[in-house]
Amino acid sequence: MASGSSSIAIGGLFENAEVTTSGRPVLRRNEVECFLLSSIDIDSEDDPPRFTALRSGNLILTTHRLIWIPSQSNESVPSSIPLSAVTHIYSHKKSIKSMFHSPRIRFQADPGSIVVTIVFRGKGDFDGFLSKLWECWRGRAWEEEEKSESETSKSGSGTVAQGLYGNDGTVRMVGLAGILRKEQEQWESTDKSLQDAFQDLNALMSKAKEMVSLAEKMRQKLLSAPSSQNGSTDDEEMGSKEEMQQWMLSVGIISPVTKESAGALYHQELSRQLADFVRIPLEKAGGMISLTDMYYHFNRARGTELISPDDLWQACTLWEKFDVPVMLRKFDSGVMVIQNKSHSDEEVMSRIRMLVTKTETLRVGVTASDAALTLKIAPAMAKEHLLSAETKGLLCRDMSPDGLRFYFNLFPEIDPTNLHIVKEFGTYGEWIKATSLLSV
Amino acid sequence: MQKLADFKLPQFFNYPPYFTLQPVRDTREKQIQLWKELILDYCKSQKIFLIGVEEDFPLFSNSAIDRSLSHEARETFLSAIVGEGRAEWLDKGHRKCLILWHRIQDWADIVLQFVRDNGLEDSVMTVEEIRSGTESLGTELQGIDRTILMRALKLLENKGKLALFKGTSADDEGVKFSV
């Protein structure tokens, strides 16, 4: 791994680490988060120091890097050290001196054999971190990636071969039998990876990235499928394919925050990850999504590392403390939703006003599902909006055997001292016109 | 706009939310006010003195839009009229409501005016004669509810304007005016 040019200032060892708007590290392809500790300093062991010490931040261990993120935005920038640069991890010495010290881990890293000390100022599973660090360092996940990359480029060139036999002498896939065999082989390999995945829960996490790439591959295949088939697919099949695509798209958090990896910071980190995740589903849902819907989206994306409804709720309530662009909102009815901070009620209200003052809706009113269609949001959300518009006096309701409908509120326009008077310009007049059209 | 008998209904009688008791306070207050006015107007024009909550009352349903008031809504609107002193519940169960588009005091004044108009200042009449006699033809007293009339007469008796006495038959009482 090359050290970036920007890192020269801090000793040629650190790279600037990219973080999301909510302060979560941006992980690279196939990178999985393994451990997280708070209140961490990173010091230089050498005298004089070879780099400026990093003070009080969160340290995140991934399969590829050590990422340090300042807990408050001080002068320090988020920085990372690739594990590939680590040349030696010193074993932990137990001595009288170390009993009075904050626990620390020392390791040597290239370039220049810099000795780096990680100092633990807070509480946390120090031993757990150390063993995980060893595990990740020895796992050499970055090498695997390089290997697989070279493999794919090799197999890519293999397809150039012509004729009935492939480069390696096997019968190439030809005709219907070929397709069937290919299909069969694919199923077998899929089946195998699924079986491997479920054999051991520990192995499962290492399989996560394969699962995600499998999902991506299947999605790509599905995407290309409709063009290769000349309209022979019926609607039902198309529907299920689209559904499948949606599923594949939403498999996606390779490195979910877990209680195991984040420890005491679990809810805080979960909260940040959730804030990053909600953006796309939120956009699709029109700027507001119910907590139950989000629970479903988020857990589906997390795959095996499911969270409880309470965890989700706690993660959402923590947003108040962070500078994130989303917020949790509770309606009077008790329904809780996630919405963009920029999502304004005034805008929704004016759209509802537009909807209910149309000639047709003036006459027959709207139901929650009508509003859902117009506002392009879920019916449950639409109902909340209609109810709050009712509370504001914009709408009033009509309960009939057909169900609940909302009408533009005409009551304020009617003069109680003269029940028959109708002001010339007003929605009451518009309504009378709209209803009289019907009787003509 | 459709009519009930010769009563002209207002436009909003065809507005479906008018028939659903509104849950939002401001809206509901306005709705109640409109119902109060409509019920009083209608009763006055049709000379209706009594509304049974559970009985068919023409205003309480609108077949044109297929809506009718719930029991709760009927009681709410009538109670609002009672609260203004323009009606009275006749029973604790709030099933029958006496509508006073004129208050008892106003009815008493109408009786006095009727007495003066007909030169009956020192005469004797039966209660029934006031309601259906030739003198009351075409006046507001024609067909007045007996309960309301008796309340008005008792008010006048307390003021010394007349004396009530039992007649020969049990269902008729006599009135001796002394205006």
Side-chain angles (χ1 to χ4, degrees):
Chain A
M1 283 226 175
S3 55
S5 57
S6 62
S7 58
I8 293 166
I10 45 175
L13 172 64
F14 293 97
E15 294 172 5
N16 282 340
E18 236 187 297
V19 291
T20 65
T21 49
S22 66
R24 291 273 309 153
V26 175
L27 298 184
R28 293 167 189 171
R29 210 159 64 87
N30 296 342
E31 190 174 6
V32 177
E33 200 178 314
C34 300
F35 218 96
L36 195 147
L37 283 168
S38 62
S39 310
I40 299 293
D41 294 350
I42 295 182
D43 283 335
S44 172
E45 191 80 344
D46 301 286
D47 191 29
R50 306 262 300 266
F51 58 86
T52 324
L54 302 170
R55 296 272 173 240
S56 96
N58 291 343
L59 185 68
I60 298 161
L61 170 70
T62 74
T63 49
H64 291 56
R65 290 181 293 168
L66 274 166
I67 306 168
W68 182 89
I69 296 170
S71 50
Q72 259 103 43
S73 46
N74 44 27
E75 316 86 84
S76 319
V77 290
S79 312
S80 68
I81 304 170
L83 289 182
S84 58
V86 176
T87 50
H88 183 70
I89 299 174
Y90 295 98
S91 55
H92 182 49
K93 282 176 290 186
K94 279 217 158 50
S95 66
I96 299 286
K97 196 182 159 199
S98 73
M99 286 176 71
F100 298 103
H101 259 173
S102 305
R104 50 193 67 200
I105 293 173
R106 290 160 61 233
F107 64 84
Q108 198 178 52
D110 278 335
S113 301
I114 305 172
V115 179
V116 180
T117 311
I118 303 171
V119 186
F120 298 77
R121 298 277 178 218
K123 286 176 200 157
D125 184 6
F126 162 74
D127 292 320
F129 180 81
L130 185 59
S131 63
K132 206 76 189 175
L133 177 62
W134 273 102
E135 199 180 297
C136 291
W137 185 51
R138 286 195 185 123
R140 310 188 87 74
W142 56 92
E143 283 180 1
E144 220 167 274
E145 199 175 320
E146 283 158 18
K147 210 165 48 190
S148 69
E149 259 167 29
S150 63
E151 264 171 24
T152 48
S153 63
K154 230 185 273 169
S155 67
S157 63
T159 54
V160 186
Q162 298 286 322
L164 201 59
Y165 295 93
N167 280 353
D168 51 355
T170 55
V171 180
R172 290 193 35 186
M173 314 302 177
V174 193
L176 194 61
I179 295 169
L180 284 173
R181 212 177 102 199
K182 200 171 159 194
E183 204 77 355
Q184 177 71 24
E185 271 174 19
Q186 268 182 359
W187 272 117
E188 275 168 8
S189 71
T190 309
D191 199 37
K192 192 168 173 296
S193 34
L194 281 172
Q195 269 177 5
D196 286 354
F198 287 108
Q199 246 165 22
D200 181 355
L201 278 175
N202 275 333
L204 188 58
M205 275 324 292
S206 67
K207 285 279 170 196
K209 66 184 180 196
E210 273 177 50
M211 289 291 119
V212 173
S213 68
L214 180 68
E216 181 60 22
K217 261 185 218 154
M218 285 171 85
R219 194 177 72 83
Q220 289 299 339
K221 199 177 157 228
L222 284 166
L223 272 175
S224 59
S227 56
S228 62
Q229 289 168 5
N230 354 344
S232 61
T233 44
D234 51 58
D235 286 347
E236 198 184 327
E237 204 176 320
M238 281 301 289
S240 71
K241 265 188 185 156
E242 265 169 35
E243 208 177 323
M244 193 68 176
Q245 274 187 29
Q246 289 296 320
W247 288 345
M248 293 303 161
L249 270 175
S250 60
V251 176
I253 302 181
I254 303 179
S255 179
V257 171
T258 64
K259 274 196 174 121
E260 198 190 14
S261 72
L265 294 171
Y266 174 59
H267 282 120
Q268 197 180 320
E269 289 305 306
L270 186 68
S271 174
R272 290 177 192 273
Q273 188 167 58
L274 182 62
D276 291 331
F277 175 79
V278 295
R279 236 169 325 161
I280 291 161
L282 202 54
E283 210 170 281
K284 277 189 194 157
M288 187 182 276
I289 190 165
S290 74
L291 211 53
T292 40
D293 283 350
M294 187 45 76
Y295 180 67
Y296 153 78
H297 281 299
F298 194 46
N299 262 342
R300 202 168 64 178
R302 288 173 65 93
T304 54
E305 296 287 352
L306 301 185
I307 60 164
S308 72
D310 188 58
D311 284 341
L312 181 77
W313 180 75
Q314 291 213 24
C316 291
T317 50
L318 282 175
W319 283 341
E320 284 172 24
K321 293 182 189 161
F322 308 137
D323 183 27
V324 292
V326 287
M327 58 181 279
L328 180 70
R329 174 173 176 197
K330 196 171 178 179
F331 278 102
D332 296 339
S333 62
V335 171
M336 282 190 279
V337 298
I338 292 170
Q339 68 172 40
N340 278 322
K341 273 185 183 157
S342 58
H343 182 97
S344 85
D345 279 358
E346 277 79 50
E347 195 205 315
V348 177
M349 286 306 128
S350 72
R351 282 167 75 191
I352 290 177
R353 181 187 288 273
M354 291 260 287
L355 171 65
V356 294
T357 49
K358 280 186 205 154
T359 309
E360 180 62 15
T361 41
L362 210 50
R363 189 167 65 76
V364 296
V366 287
T367 62
S369 43
D370 294 341
L373 279 177
T374 315
L375 304 174
K376 295 193 176 58
I377 51 177
M381 287 297 94
K383 190 173 174 187
E384 292 302 330
H385 285 308
L386 290 176
L387 288 173
S388 66
E390 185 193 32
T391 311
K392 289 196 172 96
L394 176 63
L395 304 179
C396 56
R397 66 173 61 191
D398 165 40
M399 271 302 290
S400 72
D402 301 336
L404 179 62
R405 304 186 78 87
F406 289 92
Y407 283 75
F408 182 81
N409 185 3
L410 296 175
F411 287 114
E413 288 189 39
I414 304 168
D415 185 357
T417 58
N418 186 339
L419 301 182
H420 297 282
I421 206 162
V422 178
K423 288 189 199 93
E424 208 172 321
F425 301 103
T427 320
Y428 186 31
E430 295 283 317
W431 172 79
I432 291 169
K433 260 187 248 162
T435 45
S436 61
L437 281 175
L438 179 73
S439 52
V440 167
Chain B
M1 195 65 213
Q2 74 261 43
K3 288 185 172 184
L4 287 176
D6 56 346
F7 182 75
K8 185 172 177 264
L9 287 162
Q11 294 283 353
F12 60 78
F13 195 66
N14 279 347
Y15 181 51
Y18 188 57
F19 285 85
T20 298
L21 193 57
Q22 297 299 318
V24 177
R25 210 189 67 191
D26 287 355
T27 312
R28 180 194 284 228
E29 276 171 10
K30 189 66 192 275
Q31 183 192 23
I32 289 174
Q33 203 180 1
L34 294 176
W35 268 105
K36 243 166 30 188
E37 299 300 330
L38 185 67
I39 292 171
L40 289 173
D41 275 9
Y42 181 76
C43 288
K44 188 175 177 184
S45 81
Q46 304 299 308
K47 288 201 180 262
I48 293 170
F49 296 91
L50 205 62
I51 297 178
V53 173
E54 277 146 33
E55 287 156 32
D56 281 339
F57 182 64
L59 285 183
F60 287 168
S61 57
N62 182 351
S63 57
I65 57 166
D66 198 20
R67 293 290 185 277
S68 60
L69 287 180
S70 67
H71 184 277
E72 186 199 0
R74 294 172 192 208
E75 199 183 315
T76 304
F77 299 144
L78 291 173
S79 292
I81 305 176
V82 171
E84 238 179 35
R86 309 294 296 272
E88 278 172 26
W89 290 112
L90 291 179
D91 57 337
K92 276 188 182 164
H94 289 191
R95 278 190 300 274
K96 285 202 179 305
C97 190
L98 193 64
I99 305 296
L100 302 164
W101 64 83
H102 292 314
R103 293 160 201 274
I104 298 294
Q105 177 61 54
D106 298 335
W107 280 116
D109 291 344
I110 290 167
V111 171
L112 282 183
Q113 194 57 46
F114 165 80
V115 169
R116 290 196 190 100
D117 287 350
N118 291 287
L120 298 167
E121 280 88 344
D122 292 306
S123 314
V124 173
M125 278 183 94
T126 64
V127 172
E128 205 47 46
E129 271 177 311
I130 301 175
R131 293 181 66 225
S132 53
T134 46
E135 292 89 346
S136 62
L137 266 180
T139 70
E140 282 200 277
L141 292 175
Q142 184 188 0
I144 184 177
D145 180 76
R146 197 180 163 86
T147 319
I148 293 173
L149 180 59
M150 284 310 293
R151 297 261 290 275
L153 293 177
K154 286 214 170 90
L155 186 74
L156 290 173
E157 187 180 31
N158 288 341
K159 288 185 176 174
K161 306 274 187 188
L162 55 80
L164 284 164
F165 57 88
K166 283 270 176 227
T168 44
S169 60
D171 62 333
D172 206 4
E173 283 172 283
V175 184
K176 165 83 173 74
F177 295 109
S178 53
V179 178

